[in-house]
Amino acid sequence: ANPDRIKQQLAEHELVCEEWGGNVPVIPISAKQNKGIDVLLENILFQAEYMELRANPDRSARGYVIEARLDKGKGPVATVIVQNGTLKVGDYIVSGTTYGRVRSLTDDKGKNIRSAGPSTPVAVNGLAQVPTAGDPIAVVESEKMARQVIEERAARAKNEMLADVPQADLDEAFKKLGDEQLKEFKVLVKADVQGSSEAVKDALLNLSNDEVKVSVVFSGVGAINQSDIMMADVAHASIIGFNVKPDSDARNAAERAGIDVKLFGIIYEALDYVRDRMSEMLAPKFVERITGKAIVRTMFKVSGVGIVAGSYVQTGKIVRGGKARLYRGGKMIFERNISVLKPYNDEAKEDTIGLECGIAIDGYTDYLEDDEIECYVVEKETK
C-alpha cells in the first residue's frame, strides 16, 4: 500500500485530502492488523454530525437491497440496509416488482431480531420473489396497497418497454443489412444469488466478438422454472444455471421443447461452454494452398478421357484431386478441378518436381505449348 500515491491520484480527480488543505478525510486502515478502524469510525460519526445526516427511527422503514438470493429452506432472502425508519417483523414491504410480509429478520451475526433501525444491515425473509440488488425497499400499510404499488410499477415498466422499441427507418434497415453476417447466441441466466447472476451475465456479454454476439435475454435469481423454459423457447435461447437446477416440471418442459439447459458451479466452465457453442455457429474458414506448377510441353489424346496436356513439373507437386489455374502469357484464362492426372508411374497419386505427367483440367481442351498450370488445394483453416 502506498497512501501518498493514493492521495495524489485522488487529487487528480479534485478530491484533496485534509492534510493537503482539502476537505476529504483519508484514513489508512488495516482490518487484518486492526489499525485505523477506530479512527475511521470516529470520522464517519463526525462527518454524519457535520453534514447533519439524520434518520427517524419512528417512521416506516426505507432502505436498499444489497444482495438477494433464493434459499433452499427459506425461499427468497434479501440482504437490506435500512436507511430510515425501523423495519419490523410483520411489516408489508415492496421492492421493485415484488412484495411480501416480513417473516423473519436476521442480523449480521446470524441472530434473529424483531426490528432493525437506521443503518442496520439485515437479512429479510418474506418476499414473494427474489428482488434485484440495488432496488429500494419500503414498508407499506397493507397487502392491498403493496399489490396496488406492484401493479402500477408493472404497468409503468410495460409502457416504458413499449416506448423504448425503436421505430423502423431506412437507416436501421441498412444497418441490419450490414449485420447479416453477425450471428447471435442467445442465453438465459439463472443463479443462486443476484451478485452471481450479474457476474455471469457481464462475463458472457464480454465474450461477444466481430462474428458472434452473445445476448442475455434474461438474468435472474432462483431455480429454473417453466416460465424460464417458455421464455427461452420464444427467444430461441439456451439456459445456463449457476448453482441452481430446474424443477421437475421445468426439466420435462425443456425436454419437450428441446431447450438446451446447462448447469454450472464454476463461472469459467460456463464461459468455456458458451465459447464452444459460439465456435460451432461459425462457418469453417478455408484457405488456399498452392502445391506446385507445371509447364505444358505437348498435347495428346487419351481414350475415354480426351485431350490431355503433357506437362513437366517445375515446382512443388501436382496432386490428384486438386484444383488448377491455366495461365497463358502470364494471364489466367481458365480455372477448374484437375479431372485427370497421368503420372509417369501410374500408381502415384502425385507428380513432384522434375517429373512429367499428363494433366486434364475439367472442361478444357485447348492447351498450347508453354501454358502454365498452377495446382492448388483448398483446406479447412485450423487455429
Side-chain angles (χ1 to χ4, degrees), residues 252-315:
N252 294 333
E255 291 178 358
R256 290 194 301 269
I259 301 299
D260 193 14
V261 179
K262 295 294 182 181
L263 309 178
F264 301 96
I266 301 174
I267 190 169
Y268 301 109
E269 293 179 352
L271 299 182
D272 288 341
Y273 161 74
V274 174
R275 287 193 190 97
D276 291 341
R277 290 296 305 274
M278 292 169 66
S279 298
E280 293 173 3
M281 296 175 67
L282 294 176
K285 293 183 178 180
F286 294 92
V287 293
E288 178 184 300
R289 181 172 62 87
I290 296 174
T291 64
K293 294 182 180 179
I295 192 79
V296 177
R297 295 302 190 195
T298 186
M299 287 68 66
F300 56 90
K301 188 172 183 179
V302 176
S303 177
V305 175
I307 303 299
V308 175
S311 308
Y312 174 80
V313 182
Q314 287 185 315
T315 61

Side-chain angles (χ1 to χ4, degrees), residues 4 19 29 42 65 72 147 164 178 180 184 203 206 213 257 271 273 275 292 302 360 375:
D4 289 335
E19 295 177 27
I29 68 166
E42 289 174 4
V65 176
K72 293 181 180 179
R147 288 181 177 178
D164 288 339
E180 285 182 354
E184 186 177 20
N206 287 333
K213 174 185 177 184
L271 299 182
Y273 161 74
R275 287 193 190 97
V302 176
C375 177

Side-chain angles (χ1 to χ4, degrees), residues 3 43 46 66 90 116 119 130 137 165 175 186 208 219 243 250 262 281 323-324 343 346:
N43 271 268
F46 173 77
I66 300 173
S119 298
V130 179
I137 188 168
V165 176
K175 181 180 178 182
K186 297 180 180 179
S208 297
S219 63
N243 289 330
K262 295 294 182 181
M281 296 175 67
K323 297 177 178 292
D346 289 339

Side-chain angles (χ1 to χ4, degrees), residues 1-12 15 20 26:
N2 188 341
D4 289 335
R5 182 168 174 266
I6 298 299
K7 294 173 185 177
Q8 180 62 44
Q9 290 175 331
L10 289 171
E12 292 172 1
L15 296 172
W20 294 359
V26 176

Side-chain angles (χ1 to χ4, degrees), residues 208-230:
S208 297
N209 54 42
D210 294 337
E211 296 174 306
V212 181
K213 174 185 177 184
V214 179
S215 296
V216 179
V217 298
F218 175 79
S219 63
V221 177
I224 300 169
N225 53 42
Q226 280 187 298
S227 297
D228 299 322
I229 303 300
M230 292 174 60

